[in-house]
Amino acid sequence: MYDFEMRVSLNFTKSLAEVLAKHTGLAQNELEIAIETPPDSKLGHFAFPCFGLAKEMKKSPTAISAELAEKIESERPGWLAQAVSTGAYVNFFLNRTAFAGNVLFDVLEAGEGYGADGEGLGQAVIVEYSSPNIAKHFHVGHLGTTIIGKVIDNVYRFLGYDVTSINHLGDWGTQFGKLITAYKKWGSREEIEQTEIAGLVKLYVKFHEEADKDASLNDEARAWVVKMQDGDKESLEIWQWFCELSMKEFNRIYDRLDIVFDSIRGESFYNGQMEAVAEMLEKKGLLKESEGAKIVDLEEWNMPPSLILRSDGGTLYTTRDIAAAIYRYETYEFNKCLYVTGNEQSLHFAQWMKVVELMGYPWAKNIEHIPYGMYLFESGKMSTRRGDVIKVEDLLNEAAAKTLAIINEKNPALENKERVAEQIGVGALKFGKLYNSRIKDTVFDWDRMLNFEGETGPYVQYTHARACSVLRKSLSDDSNMDFAALGLALISGATFDSSLLADDEAFDVLRILHDFPAKVLDCAEKYEPFIIARHVVALAQAYNTFYTKHQILVDDEPTRRARLALTAGVRQVIKTGLGLLGISAPVVM
Ligand code: ARG
């Protein structure tokens, strides 16, 4: 039976650290960090290395370990089955019954909230991501930031941080002068309304073709830029229209990726602040003149100078970033401001962040660049003719179409096929980017991403659907109880007996459920979505092993209840984990 007396805290690592603190006199939080997981669970479920204590206690680690194990054994709490000294380590075995009961109570009682404990309450975090460029397609170069940024956004929100997600659109620059010139000469309003960004790209290409023959076009384009900067109504109206047209494509993509920004504010928003930034730098004695331009010298930090004002009045990507950071601090008083972009922009971020630091802002230490690796495509296979960009909209369509083909083969009678195909296809695309350390380049490979048996999104989603199906079968046909309520009902029943989950397969599953909150925190600290992605894969694998070995809907009521409770816990954590990764979890597939 599950013994409520043995219910400890949410976290066994914490409880163990408490026990260790009592016997060593060391601080609990330090001990918590020192606790390890043995490579083989036959050695123990947790291990505490004694090397660090040797100097202070003037004894060998082995002797300390032996003494400590003995002390702990003498007043061992019920949830601990055994403390053994093995060399310099004290290894701990958990009482499996207590562990199973505690973990399932924690998961099923907290439900959707399991995994977070209000860690971020009262702290403001800005996550800037996606930030595509107006009048250019949303291409694969912005896919990584969009997928990874969304996870960081989700995870911080989940932990209770006050998150503001920002889309820093590239909506200003000399290209708009060219576009307006081309539009006025060769454009048709109707055609562009219809073709959106494709029409704008066509105009842009045409401009360059014509400008090669007639250089005066460049002067015209420049004149339009000056007009825009001076607030000319006509040019700004056309520009605004280009922005709106572009947002149509972007919003279709955000809808499909399930992304909503708290603030969509383009670079143009900071136009009026360029001079002020330059003045501040001047006052602090940081600005230097160089060939007509204004720069901040960063030689001391082994970086090229930061370009603040250009001699030709051209685009000022860096200065806008400085202005935006100042604006964000003034507006949100952030505790952390994060920027997710491709690693090819790392130097740019290092430069302007250094400038902000030199300006003496105390919050400069709270801004961070989160770089990631790019997508690699097998040569020829994915690139379009003439090396055109790969459009994200095309990738999403392809993901859904390929998945639909698989469903038509595997489960043609599935209801809502199109919708499920979208959920699986888009999920697979996201998961493919999230499974490895973000800095690694991602080799684009549909077959691998869509493999239902691999370490993939569809595999995890499939396991979730399987858990849902088992739970549904346990309910009577007319029951409309949802899975969360069912989970709670299962553990609340008098016949819930967690000693029936003491087998190795169940224990492995429980261990992964137990570690989930720590993984969420680790992901937040390192900005590494793969930590969660890999954890949900491990959970799916462990549950499938359990499922193959143990029948769940058996006649024996207590056994069935215990195994269903485990299944309910797995369903909950996979669902939450996928949710944090921005991936939906269909109940049937
Ligand atoms: N629009 C930029 C690009 O496509 C990305 C903006 C990144 N964010 C920033 N604050 N600079 O390259």
Side-chain angles (χ1 to χ4, degrees), residues 341-381:
T341 83
N343 58 8
E344 69 281 356
Q345 293 203 31
S346 289
L347 177 62
H348 162 73
F349 278 92
Q351 284 174 298
W352 77 255
M353 286 179 174
K354 178 52 95 182
V355 173
V356 170
E357 185 193 316
L358 294 174
M359 288 172 94
Y361 288 111
W363 47 262
K365 60 180 189 314
N366 301 331
I367 55 180
E368 260 177 277
H369 180 223
I370 305 179
Y372 64 87
M374 55 182 181
Y375 277 106
L376 300 178
F377 293 89
E378 256 172 63
S379 61
K381 213 172 147 197

Side-chain angles (χ1 to χ4, degrees), residues 543-585:
Y543 180 69
N544 285 325
T545 304
F546 175 83
Y547 183 90
T548 316
K549 188 113 187 250
H550 306 275
Q551 209 188 325
I552 293 171
L553 297 169
V554 290
D555 288 339
D556 180 59
E557 206 271 332
T559 306
R560 186 174 68 225
R561 180 180 286 268
R563 292 181 182 167
L564 279 169
L566 183 76
T567 305
V570 169
R571 180 209 70 93
Q572 181 62 64
V573 172
I574 294 188
K575 167 125 189 189
T576 304
L578 284 177
L580 292 175
L581 298 175
I583 297 174
S584 35

